[in-house]
Amino acid sequence: MEFIPQFGSLAFTLVAFVAALSIIVAIHEYGHYIVGRWSGIHAEVFSLGFGPVLFSRTDRRGTRWQVAALPFGGYVKFLGDADAASGKDGAAIDALDAGERRRSMHGAPLWARSLTVAAGPVFNFILSILVFALFLAFTGRAVDEPRVGGQVALPADIAQFEPGDLIVSMEGQPVSAFGDLFEIAADLTPQPTAAYTVERDGVLREIEAAFPLIPLVQSVAPQSAALAAGLREGDVIRAVDGVPVYAFRQLREAVDAAQGTPLTLTIWSRGETRDVTLTPRRTDLPTEDGRFETRWLIGVTGGLSFEPVRESVGPLAALGYGAEQTVFVVQSSLSGLWHMITGAISSCNLQGPIGIAETSGAAASQGIDNFIWFVAVLSTAVGLLNLFPIPVLDGGHLVFHAYEAVSGKPPSDKVMRVFMTIGLTLLLSLMLFALTNDIFCP
């Protein structure tokens, strides 16, 4: 009976991981397929998964679409390919006439091959941009005007604003934008309430309400101490080791001061209060200047004590935001890898399949929106990884195409086989190292 909850959690994690990976792989391989088709290269097989085929159907163009038993990847096999990694089948190529050879991956013009190879990672980036853009389009953007859009669920003893209130001043200091609230609060000693002047129904009123950024859990990070302790979005942290906290910065200061020792948090959650004990975890975080800082974290972000007014954004603004988020993921990933190589941060930051699966399950457990956001982040990471100049990966093939563009001829089949073996060895070594991290890193 004790094993049943663990099995259920494991099954949920695996389902979430397979779902996330299948979406990303399908988009990646479809990029190869559709651009190859547009470029005149015939796809013989489009496979989601490896191993024994569970289901297949051949379309009118002669492409076999199939779902295989091992859902941990996928591939498109083009005419003339010897394997899923697009190795050259020399005998098959020699048996083709000139017209058929043009329809093969290895007989097509260089531009067609290059575009087809690059399309996989590009489609991963497009997926990420669209998902991030849709999030902004659906949720809107908070306006600068410090007006209360709505209330959030809080304990009854925490004084709240009313929807529609326009905050004019805080503790006697003028407020013209949301940023002013946080600047003023940073210089004040946190208390249960602060004095505000608000405009309500066209009349100025003096009221008492909570600090702007209270210890309200806005999000919980996957694989964090907070998630392991059962904290959820919307929880309010009332005390740390019995000491009341009224502002999120008090929680952050307490976590920093603990330096990895256990903390007991008093949590208000959905009308009930409970105590949980958790241990902050040492985490490497990217900074705005591209560096990393090591801090002790429990894995929560704070939220406002009210909902701000939001405005809709146009398609171009949403797409711009999506592109910015995708670029941020790429920059953070590259910076993280560099800092791991140089020893500036722990190599435990590199996750393998177990770590990614656990993160998938954690994201899915927090709601479909968190899971979709995670898929977008992972799609960017997969697209970036495939662009690394390692033979077997798309980036390696693009390096070979660049060599052909410069020299006027492709590398010999013997050289290609040697490089493909080296690339496969490097890739498997990287996967083994990441898997070791999953098992042995704290």
Side-chain angles (χ1 to χ4, degrees), residues 161-178:
F161 298 95
E162 291 188 7
D165 284 350
L166 176 65
I167 303 173
V168 177
S169 69
M170 175 181 177
E171 293 292 337
Q173 300 185 53
V175 174
S176 59
F178 273 117

Side-chain angles (χ1 to χ4, degrees), residues 34 47 56 96 127 238 258-259 323 339 344 359 368 426 432:
I34 193 63
S47 181
S56 68
L96 299 175
L127 172 64
R238 307 303 308 271
Q259 290 292 295
H339 282 79
T359 306
I368 187 64
L426 289 173
L432 181 60

Side-chain angles (χ1 to χ4, degrees), residues 46-239:
F46 186 111
S47 181
L48 192 59
F50 298 97
V53 177
L54 302 177
F55 167 80
S56 68
R57 181 185 67 85
T58 301
D59 65 19
R60 60 185 178 85
R61 293 185 176 85
T63 300
R64 186 172 78 249
W65 300 75
Q66 66 184 37
V67 177
L70 301 177
F72 302 111
Y75 62 91
V76 176
K77 182 178 180 295
F78 291 102
L79 180 64
D81 286 350
D83 47 46
S86 290
K88 183 178 180 181
D89 187 341
I93 293 292
D94 292 340
L96 299 175
D97 59 32
E100 285 295 305
R101 188 171 299 175
R102 167 60 182 83
R103 298 179 66 234
S104 72
M105 171 59 88
H106 302 276
L110 179 60
W111 66 265
R113 285 179 279 139
S114 299
L115 288 177
T116 300
V117 170
V122 168
F123 268 54
N124 281 133
F125 296 141
I126 291 174
L127 172 64
S128 301
I129 291 171
L130 290 177
V131 169
F132 293 141
L134 286 173
F135 263 88
L136 182 62
F138 279 111
T139 61
R141 177 172 52 199
V143 301
D144 289 334
E145 183 185 46
R147 187 178 294 277
V148 177
Q151 294 178 331
V152 299
L154 296 176
D157 63 317
I158 296 182
Q160 298 196 60
F161 298 95
E162 291 188 7
D165 284 350
L166 176 65
I167 303 173
V168 177
S169 69
M170 175 181 177
E171 293 292 337
Q173 300 185 53
V175 174
S176 59
F178 273 117
D180 296 336
L181 291 172
F182 307 131
E183 292 180 4
I184 296 169
D187 296 328
L188 299 174
T189 301
Q191 298 292 333
T193 62
Y196 297 89
T197 300
V198 301
E199 180 184 306
R200 181 181 299 169
D201 299 326
V203 178
L204 293 179
R205 301 173 183 267
E206 303 295 329
I207 68 169
E208 295 283 328
F211 259 59
L213 196 62
I214 63 174
L216 170 70
V217 177
Q218 188 175 54
S219 66
V220 182
Q223 294 184 292
S224 64
L227 184 66
L231 270 67
R232 297 180 293 173
E233 180 181 341
D235 289 352
V236 178
I237 300 170
R238 307 303 308 271

Side-chain angles (χ1 to χ4, degrees), residues 271-345:
E272 298 181 354
T273 301
R274 72 183 191 279
D275 287 341
V276 300
T277 299
L278 48 73
T279 302
R281 299 178 181 178
R282 193 165 183 166
T283 309
D284 296 311
L285 295 175
T287 58
E288 292 183 356
D289 60 359
R291 300 177 182 273
F292 276 77
E293 63 175 356
T294 301
R295 290 175 50 194
W296 293 97
L297 301 175
I298 62 173
V300 298
T301 59
L304 287 166
S305 57
F306 56 88
E307 293 285 349
V309 174
R310 294 184 173 274
E311 62 181 0
S312 59
V313 297
L316 291 179
L319 288 173
Y321 170 79
E324 288 175 2
Q325 288 296 314
T326 302
V327 170
F328 173 76
V329 175
V330 170
Q331 291 176 335
S332 298
S333 299
L334 292 176
S335 177
L337 285 173
W338 173 251
H339 282 79
M340 279 187 279
I341 292 172
T342 59
I345 62 175

Side-chain angles (χ1 to χ4, degrees), residues 1-10:
M1 292 298 294
E2 292 178 354
F3 179 72
I4 290 176
Q6 298 175 17
F7 178 79
S9 177
L10 175 62

Side-chain angles (χ1 to χ4, degrees), residues 422-440:
I422 294 173
L424 184 60
T425 301
L426 289 173
L427 189 60
L428 291 175
S429 299
L430 180 64
M431 293 175 64
L432 181 60
F433 179 73
L435 183 61
T436 303
N437 281 354
D438 291 341
I439 297 172
F440 295 106

